[in-house]
Amino acid sequence: MERVIWNGVPWFDRDGNVVNAHGACIVREGDVYYLFGEYKTNDENRYNGFSCYSTRDFEDWKFEGMALSAEAGGLLGPGRIGERVKVVKSAVTGKYVMLMHTDDLNYSDPCIGVAVCDTINGSYTFAGPLLYKGEKVRKWDMGTFVDEDGTAYLLTHEGNIYRLNAECTEAEELVAENIAPGGESPAMCRYGGKYYIMFSQKTSWERNDNYYLTADNIAGPWVMKGLFCPEGSLTYNTQCSYIFDCQTAEGSIKMYLGDRWSYPRQASAATLVMLPLAFEGGNMRISRYMQAWRPADGSEWREPCIRPLAFCSDVKGEGRQAEFCVSGGRVYLFGAASDEGGYCRVEIRNSEGRAVNEAVIDFYSAVPMKGLRYVSPELKSGEYTLCVTALGESGEWFQKDGTRFGSKGRRVDIYGFAAEPDSIEKDC
């Protein structure tokens, strides 16, 4: 079966749990890709550990465990934040080095932290703060980039670029400074001899139109190029997180990894988006959004025949059910997300009434979107019931200056579902 990347819906690991990895990076080792990310909670934005998952096809996800757990004290102890985890490999020592933003809950004590491990999917040991000229690097939103010669760099908000030492445990040189005032969540790649770096604007958990710069030398001069997604798409409702090399039948391509945050239900409802980057004439773009596509050949997934399932409610506890049979395969739920969207719970129950899969789905989107809202793991042959319940909740958050972001309502808007392959409605 050809594997598919499902964008903007919860991913599930082999145990049926939601993949919980955000502000993430993907590192390839042989034919295996390792996803490292923030292991979020649903109560407050605090450090809960960094998770590691592995895959060969971006659909079958294995939970490798917590790469770095919360500490008893210090930079990653209680009352602290850990974000934007990135992993690089030292070309000299062969060790894997994890960099992250540490902070207090008020974001008033930023510091880049360092952890090290002998194996990519092992337990990392926290080593303390990253130093530059003997001082802590006091930055927050950050990323990493490894050049073609193996040299690793730290990228920070506002556009600072630090060259790391050969061991990747200290910052040795500030090679570029303040190239993107107001920018955060940097991600970088190199293509055709040119460097590309992208940034998000500062709108808290809200999405915005991300932009990019280019340079022939990593030290600059850097040239502002503008947006890499259509204006007003809010980067297809994502925030940039990382760029990595993905191997396909057509060769290696540059892949965009972005977050679709869902505050405060980050653990259960935040999702990831992966899309191929295109380069031409010194420009970079993601020309269109694909809700699902096959990385093997880049082809877009086609929606199956959608059966009507009309449900629109903002009342807590209201719901709909649909019975179906499937001889192996998945169930898909389709709906409309808007700036009035809220949360709903989706459950797949077997013929005995036991839930075999469940997830919380966010119907909020500052830019309206229609399409996939949920994709189940592959189900065993049998009879099932799809249950959808409105939670009567939605996301709301505020910047330090009091600016409000989030939904204006709690609406759950569903228009259909599908089951394939070889599926029939139970009452047919």
Side-chain angles (χ1 to χ4, degrees):
M1 180 182 296
E2 291 185 345
R3 293 299 186 177
V4 175
I5 292 175
W6 308 102
N7 280 326
V9 299
W11 297 346
F12 299 97
D13 65 19
R14 292 178 179 178
D15 297 320
N17 298 316
V18 173
V19 172
N20 189 349
H22 304 282
C25 72
I26 291 181
V27 180
R28 184 182 177 196
E29 185 81 358
D31 63 347
V32 179
Y33 297 88
Y34 292 89
L35 169 69
F36 295 87
E38 304 164 20
Y39 197 79
K40 287 294 193 181
T41 65
N42 281 326
D43 53 2
E44 66 177 351
N45 185 40
R46 59 179 170 81
Y47 178 63
N48 195 42
F50 296 129
S51 55
C52 177
Y53 297 83
S54 64
T55 185
R56 284 181 165 84
D57 55 24
F58 304 107
E59 190 173 355
D60 175 27
W61 292 97
K62 176 185 176 184
F63 180 51
E64 296 285 345
M66 299 303 292
L68 186 64
S69 299
E71 304 270 298
L75 294 178
L76 291 176
R80 298 288 296 182
I81 286 169
E83 297 179 333
R84 305 292 179 189
V85 57
K86 302 294 182 285
V87 172
V88 298
K89 183 178 182 179
S90 168
V92 173
T93 66
K95 293 181 181 293
Y96 296 86
V97 179
M98 177 184 288
L99 301 175
M100 78 291 293
H101 160 220
T102 74
D103 218 322
D104 61 23
L105 295 180
N106 295 319
Y107 286 87
S108 60
D109 185 32
C111 180
I112 304 300
V114 181
V116 182
C117 190
D118 291 333
T119 59
I120 190 169
N121 59 344
S123 296
Y124 286 69
T125 300
F126 188 66
L130 181 77
L131 302 180
Y132 175 59
K133 295 183 176 180
E135 300 291 332
K136 297 176 183 178
V137 179
R138 294 286 191 177
K139 300 294 182 180
W140 46 96
D141 264 29
M142 52 141 285
T144 56
F145 166 70
V146 180
D147 210 341
E148 295 170 356
D149 63 358
T151 303
Y153 295 86
L154 169 71
L155 321 171
T156 75
H157 69 101
E158 311 291 344
N160 284 7
I161 303 174
Y162 296 84
R163 179 176 56 81
L164 301 178
N165 63 1
E167 293 78 18
C168 301
T169 55
E170 291 186 11
E172 278 197 335
E173 180 187 7
L174 179 59
V175 300
E177 186 174 11
N178 204 39
I179 66 172
E184 64 178 6
S185 190
M188 182 188 285
C189 69
R190 186 177 182 180
Y191 184 88
K194 188 180 289 289
Y195 294 91
Y196 297 77
I197 187 169
M198 59 176 62
F199 291 89
S200 164
Q201 301 178 59
K202 294 179 180 178
T203 52
S204 186
W205 302 112
E206 189 59 273
R207 302 96 181 193
N208 55 62
D209 285 329
N210 295 186
Y211 60 93
Y212 76 107
L213 302 88
T214 65
D216 294 324
N217 187 299
I218 198 167
W222 286 89
V223 177
M224 174 66 75
K225 300 291 287 187
L227 310 182
F228 56 90
C229 292
E231 185 175 3
S233 71
L234 306 187
T235 321
Y236 301 118
N237 277 309
T238 68
Q239 181 188 40
C240 59
S241 184
Y242 198 67
I243 303 172
F244 68 99
D245 291 325
C246 177
Q247 194 63 37
T248 71
E250 305 299 322
S252 181
I253 63 172
K254 301 293 183 184
M255 187 83 81
Y256 169 88
L257 177 65
D259 280 285
R260 189 168 288 171
W261 299 104
S262 183
Y263 187 82
R265 287 184 172 268
Q266 304 282 38
S268 55
T271 60
L272 298 172
V273 169
M274 292 171 52
L275 292 166
L277 287 161
F279 300 84
E280 184 177 0
N283 298 314
M284 176 178 67
R285 72 183 189 282
I286 303 174
S287 58
R288 64 192 178 99
Y289 178 72
M290 294 182 287
Q291 61 182 352
W293 61 287
R294 299 172 180 84
D297 60 10
S299 63
E300 188 169 5
W301 174 79
R302 292 187 178 182
E303 294 182 355
C305 181
I306 300 176
R307 301 169 187 148
L309 180 63
F311 175 59
C312 185
S313 176
D314 60 2
V315 179
K316 181 178 181 179
E318 284 193 349
R320 288 290 185 276
Q321 295 185 1
E323 296 181 329
F324 63 94
C325 297
V326 64
S327 57
R330 302 179 184 276
V331 175
Y332 312 95
L333 187 67
F334 298 86
S338 73
D339 62 358
E340 296 185 354
Y343 292 111
C344 82
R345 184 177 304 280
V346 176
E347 290 182 306
I348 305 294
R349 298 175 185 167
N350 62 17
S351 58
E352 299 174 350
R354 182 174 61 87
V356 297
N357 185 253
E358 62 179 280
V360 174
I361 308 300
D362 191 354
F363 280 75
Y364 168 70
S365 176
V367 173
M369 298 183 73
K370 292 184 65 176
L372 276 176
R373 306 308 304 165
Y374 165 83
V375 178
S376 77
E378 293 184 5
L379 302 171
K380 297 179 180 179
S381 297
E383 297 180 355
Y384 297 92
T385 302
L386 170 65
C387 306
V388 180
T389 307
L391 297 183
E393 302 173 12
S394 62
E396 178 185 67
W397 62 96
F398 297 86
Q399 284 188 318
K400 293 179 181 179
D401 63 4
T403 302
R404 182 192 181 278
F405 292 98
S407 180
K408 296 183 291 186
R410 299 178 176 88
R411 181 188 302 162
V412 174
D413 190 353
I414 293 168
Y415 59 82
F417 81 107
E420 66 171 11
D422 301 326
S423 57
I424 58 171
E425 294 184 40
K426 184 178 178 182
D427 57 0
C428 285

